[in-house]
């Protein structure tokens, strides 16, 4: 009935054009059925349904066509009631509302133009332009044809003056991009890349066989525009960000990846055209936009923090470690010069800068407060952490008592001085310990968590007020006081 629908325009959304088309359709139905009741019923449920009901009941009396849908059988009485009331509203207790007539005038746009520019030229808002032209599907007028734009009455002179004074490159911006078909591409992959439908892509390029593309073929891609007038192409990201490619590893989730790069899972879905609930798989490449100044932010994040060395254990990910220490994953990668494609491995040492919630001094106690002196001979397989755990002290204390540097190692037969009963020996919540929150994961046990964090299981139970009857569950947060160093 003369209504156009393409990438730019859907005239079914224009009330005036849609009303004229509906009236023509209703008139054609009346010519087919020769009765207004049957024509209205066909308008509601379709002429085929009405013809089947007539053949089934052997009558053309609308009131006898009981096989019609209930909505259609009620549609005619509603229509008749509305017509009767509208003929004399006051007699039925209705008041005719006072409305302002919708007046407008036309201006002809020769080429495709951005609606934001048109609205600014007319001195009205973008919302007003869209309300006057509801048939426009995009934030621009159609290409390759002139368009009659509706603007509020009295704005024509102002529009023509402002619009014609603009440079041509600002008035008529291209609403399409050119794409050269590469090996392995199809209309489906190209449509996903540029966020357009296959139907629109085929229509713009006049493609009859959608399954046949040739390598090197040039396609015209109609591209959406945002309200600000920028092209929404898949390879454009937010300003101040740089694009990286991340290869999905086994066990990855969008939540973990988003946490690693200090972004949101829904943004990763949008950048990669993933639907909610759509799974990712190992080897898949994801596009992620990260802030360009993230490295500088990471270096500044060392202020007012304590240095902790974390030894990677089997099953660890940067996201899990960041969650345990309450730091950003991108900071961990920056502190340890880890690139996006690099993986961590069991036994690897990661430097972390963790906030210290205690304001007391970190100085080691003097000899008067050290308590009883013990000399310990290092055995094969010993580590300073294990020795500190055995004597209920900290690694930092042992290094200080034996004048050891942070990078120093111990060897079998070496003698270490340890002070038992020192005021600094307690593993309670003091200045030599840092409080972290560990989120329980599936398959975790208290003993496994205690072993990974080099603390006693009884201590974890005490810190979190757990007893032997309590069970831990995935998602539960446990407070753990770990030793620095």
């Amino acid at each position: 009935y003369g209504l156009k629908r393409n990438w730019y325009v859907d005239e079914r959304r224009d009330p005036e054009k849609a009303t004229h088309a509906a009236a023509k359709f209703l008139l054609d139905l009346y010519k087919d059925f020769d009765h207004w009741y049957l024509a209205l019923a066909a308008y509601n449920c379709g002429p085929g349904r009405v013809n089947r009901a007539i053949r089934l009941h052997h009558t053309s009396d609308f009131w006898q066509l009981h096989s019609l849908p209930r909505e259609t059988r009620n549609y005619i009485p509603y229509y008749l009631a509305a017509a009767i009331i509208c003929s004399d509203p006051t007699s039925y207790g209705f008041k005719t509302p006072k409305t302002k007539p919708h007046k407008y005038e036309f201006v002809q746009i020769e080429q495709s133009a951005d609606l934001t520019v048109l609205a600014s030229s007319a001195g009205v808002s973008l919302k007003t332009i869209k309300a006057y032209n509801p048939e426009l599907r995009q934030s621009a007028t159609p290409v390759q044809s002139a368009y009659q734009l509706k603007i509020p009455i009295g704005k024509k002179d102002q529009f023509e003056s402002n619009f014609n004074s603009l440079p041509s490159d600002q008035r008529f911006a291209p609403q399409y991009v050119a794409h050269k078909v590469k090996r392995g591409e199809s209309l489906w992959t190209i449509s996903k890349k540029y966020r357009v439908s296959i139907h629109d892509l085929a229509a713009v390029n006049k493609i009859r066989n959608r399954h046949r593309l040739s390598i090197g073929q040039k396609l015209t891609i109609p591209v959406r525009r945002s309200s600000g007038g920028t092209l929404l192409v898949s390879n454009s990201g937010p300003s101040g960000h740089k694009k990286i490619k991340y290869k999905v590893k086994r066990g990855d989730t969008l939540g973990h990846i988003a946490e690693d790069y200090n972004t949101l899972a829904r943004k990763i879905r949008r950048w990669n055209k993933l639907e909610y609930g759509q799974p990712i798989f190992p080897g898949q490449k994801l596009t992620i936009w990260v802030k360009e100044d993230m490295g500088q932010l990471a270096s500044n994040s060392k202020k007012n923090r304590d240095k902790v060395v974390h030894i990677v254990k089997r099953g660890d990910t940067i996201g899990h470690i960041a969650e345990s220490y309450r730091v950003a994953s991108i900071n961990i990668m920056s502190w340890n010069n880890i690139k996006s494609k690099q993986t961590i491995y069991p036994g690897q040492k990661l430097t972390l800068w963790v906030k210290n919630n205690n304001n007391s001094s970190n100085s080691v106690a003097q000899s008067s407060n050290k308590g009883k002196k013990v000399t310990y001979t290092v055995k094969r397989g010993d580590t300073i952490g294990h020795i500190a755990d055995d004597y209920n002290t900290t690694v930092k204390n042992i290094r200080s008592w034996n004048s050891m540097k942070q990078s120093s190692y111990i060897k079998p037969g070496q003698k270490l001085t340890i002070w038992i009963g020192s005021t600094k020996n307690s593993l309670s919540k003091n200045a030599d310990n840092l409080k972290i929150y560990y989120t329980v994961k599936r398959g975790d046990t208290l003993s496994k968590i205690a072993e990974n964090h080099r603390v006693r299981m009884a201590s974890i139970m005490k810190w979190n007020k757990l007893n032997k009857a309590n069970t831990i569950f995935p998602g539960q947060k446990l407070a753990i006081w770990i030793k620095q160093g």
Side-chain angles (χ1 to χ4, degrees), residues 53-72:
I54 292 173
R55 289 196 300 268
L56 177 65
H57 297 286
H58 303 286
T59 179
S60 59
D61 183 3
F62 167 77
W63 305 107
Q64 303 297 323
L65 303 180
H66 303 296
S67 64
L68 290 176
R70 177 178 296 179
E71 178 186 344
T72 304

Side-chain angles (χ1 to χ4, degrees), residues 1 17-30 36 43:
Y1 290 91
K17 295 179 180 178
T19 301
H20 287 300
K24 291 178 182 177
F25 178 49
L26 189 59
L27 183 60
D28 287 345
L29 291 174
Y30 175 73
W36 280 115
Y43 182 85

Side-chain angles (χ1 to χ4, degrees), residues 313-339:
K313 303 167 188 68
R314 187 175 181 182
D316 272 352
T317 65
I318 293 180
H320 290 154
I321 298 170
E323 186 178 6
S324 298
Y325 289 91
R326 291 197 169 185
V327 296
S329 301
I330 195 71
N331 287 350
I332 296 180
M333 298 173 70
S334 176
W335 294 331
N336 296 275
N337 296 323
I338 299 175
K339 297 181 180 179

Side-chain angles (χ1 to χ4, degrees), residues 430-458:
N430 58 29
D432 283 329
N433 294 287
L434 294 172
K435 183 180 181 181
I436 67 169
Y437 286 92
Y438 177 79
T439 303
V440 179
K441 303 170 187 67
R442 189 173 181 181
D444 274 347
T445 63
L446 280 178
S447 60
K448 182 180 177 181
I449 297 170
E451 182 181 359
N452 289 343
H453 291 85
R454 301 233 178 141
V455 296
R456 290 182 172 83
M457 188 173 72

